[in-house]
Amino acid sequence: MNIQSAINKEIFIPRDERLLVAVEVQRRRRKRMSFLPPGAKTEYKTFICLSVTNKRPHQLLITKVKQFEGSSSFQSRSQWTVEQLRQVNGINPNKDSPEFDLLFDNTEDQWVASSSAEKCIFVQILYHACQTYWEGKAGSLGKTGKLSKGKGKGKPGQSTQQGVGAGTSQTPPGPASRTLQARRKSYVPPKQTEFINCQSKLTGDACTMNLVIYRCRAFLNRMKTKMVSNQSRSGGGASGSTMANVVQRMNVALGERGDRLSRAEDKTVDLMQRAQQFADTAHKLALKYSK
């Protein structure tokens, strides 16, 4: 069982939540714990997790989970809703980097992921989860408005009878309808999460292949880290160094292939835009000479 499955089983399943992604991070500027005496250090791993509730209406949550050294269990520390997440800063929009910032209503965290691929996976899934969440939020508000309008119209038979008996008079809206309209007018939708300094391939539509590439690179990085740690424990060896070199070459090849796929996606988008412009021009010419 990998770490993400273990966190999901221990932390989120008992809460009736589903874990979408988890990334291991470290603070770029580590905060000092005031209650610890000088010189006392508590080693632990920190994971930033994105989860969604199973019950409707769905809630998108960001949770900080810690695992202390020598313990196999996980502890949930802080949790925020996506409405409290104001900004996601990718730090560098031009290349893959492990640094990113999360700005909430009451705090700001500056993180470094275990690898740039892990960070890219987290940002990509977080972006699309936020887009889906806000679209669902807007859709539910529109459905509420349609239901309230449908209730105000009444049944066809009743409206006909009222028209015959009272001429063209209309029944004024009741107090419940006026209250609902006032609530809808006073409702201020929360501000959506802002993504800045993020690569376009993380926040674009054609990014399924990028996600596969990042998952492969993250897997290779974990393999390399594990082999290096095993090699240091066993005292080294030629076979361990050879395998590490193979993993390094595979990682580089995946990175180059990811760059080529990104360039191909950019060219595809450019060709689609040119084709659309050509179709619009042809349509205008056809309308012009058809008269």
Side-chain angles (χ1 to χ4, degrees):
M1 181 183 297
N2 58 23
I3 292 181
Q4 185 163 322
S5 299
I7 294 175
N8 186 38
K9 182 178 180 181
E10 186 172 343
I11 300 295
F12 295 101
I13 291 180
R15 297 179 178 178
D16 198 19
E17 299 176 17
R18 178 167 54 90
L19 179 63
L20 301 179
V21 65
V23 57
E24 183 179 351
V25 296
Q26 292 181 350
R27 290 190 182 275
R28 296 209 299 274
R29 299 175 183 176
R30 191 161 183 173
K31 295 181 180 179
R32 180 183 173 185
M33 298 182 182
S34 58
F35 57 87
L36 293 177
K41 294 183 179 180
T42 304
E43 296 297 332
Y44 56 85
K45 294 180 180 179
T46 304
F47 301 89
I48 301 297
C49 304
L50 178 68
S51 64
V52 62
T53 58
N54 292 322
K55 294 182 180 179
R56 295 179 181 272
H58 297 301
Q59 291 292 323
L60 197 60
L61 305 170
I62 299 172
T63 309
K64 186 191 302 182
V65 176
K66 291 187 178 182
Q67 183 186 33
F68 289 91
E69 187 179 12
S71 174
S72 60
S73 61
F74 300 91
Q75 299 181 14
S76 175
R77 291 307 177 108
S78 305
Q79 189 173 64
W80 301 270
T81 63
V82 72
E83 285 89 352
Q84 296 174 304
L85 179 61
R86 294 304 176 204
Q87 188 182 89
V88 178
N89 189 345
I91 306 300
N92 194 334
N94 300 318
K95 67 176 184 178
D96 294 344
S97 63
E99 298 88 2
F100 66 99
D101 296 344
L102 299 179
L103 177 63
F104 297 95
D105 286 336
N106 54 357
T107 186
E108 180 180 7
D109 289 329
Q110 298 178 340
W111 300 110
V112 179
S114 56
S115 66
S116 58
E118 298 276 359
K119 171 243 185 167
C120 291
I121 292 173
F122 177 77
V123 172
Q124 188 173 4
I125 294 178
L126 175 61
Y127 175 80
H128 288 283
C130 287
Q131 294 295 108
T132 304
Y133 176 81
W134 291 116
E135 289 173 2
K137 200 84 170 176
S140 63
L141 182 63
K143 288 180 180 179
T144 303
K146 290 179 181 180
L147 288 174
S148 63
K149 289 180 181 179
K151 290 180 180 179
K153 289 181 180 179
K155 297 181 180 180
Q158 292 178 354
S159 60
T160 304
Q161 292 177 1
Q162 290 176 358
V164 172
T168 60
S169 62
Q170 296 180 356
T171 304
S177 178
R178 287 195 297 268
T179 304
L180 180 60
Q181 291 177 1
R183 288 180 180 176
R184 289 177 58 200
K185 290 181 179 179
S186 61
Y187 173 75
V188 179
K191 187 178 179 181
Q192 297 187 15
T193 305
E194 181 184 15
F195 287 77
I196 64 172
N197 297 327
C198 295
Q199 295 171 283
S200 59
K201 60 184 177 181
L202 302 181
T203 57
D205 294 329
C207 56
T208 304
M209 186 58 66
N210 285 330
L211 186 58
V212 174
I213 293 293
Y214 284 133
R215 289 190 184 277
C216 293
R217 291 175 62 183
F219 174 72
L220 289 174
N221 284 329
R222 287 194 292 268
M223 283 182 58
K224 180 182 176 182
T225 303
K226 188 174 182 180
M227 285 190 298
V228 169
S229 62
N230 291 337
Q231 182 180 358
S232 61
R233 291 176 184 174
S234 61
S239 60
S241 61
T242 304
M243 185 60 69
N245 292 333
V246 171
V247 173
Q248 178 66 24
R249 288 197 296 269
M250 291 175 64
N251 198 359
V252 172
L254 275 173
E256 294 175 352
R257 179 166 295 184
D259 293 336
R260 289 196 294 269
L261 283 171
S262 298
R263 290 195 294 269
E265 287 175 358
D266 294 338
K267 290 181 181 179
T268 302
V269 172
D270 184 53
L271 289 174
M272 290 176 62
Q273 292 176 350
R274 291 184 182 182
Q276 185 63 39
Q277 292 175 358
F278 180 79
D280 294 340
T281 304
H283 182 65
K284 290 178 181 179
L285 290 174
L287 291 176
K288 180 179 178 180
Y289 290 103
S290 63
K291 294 180 181 180

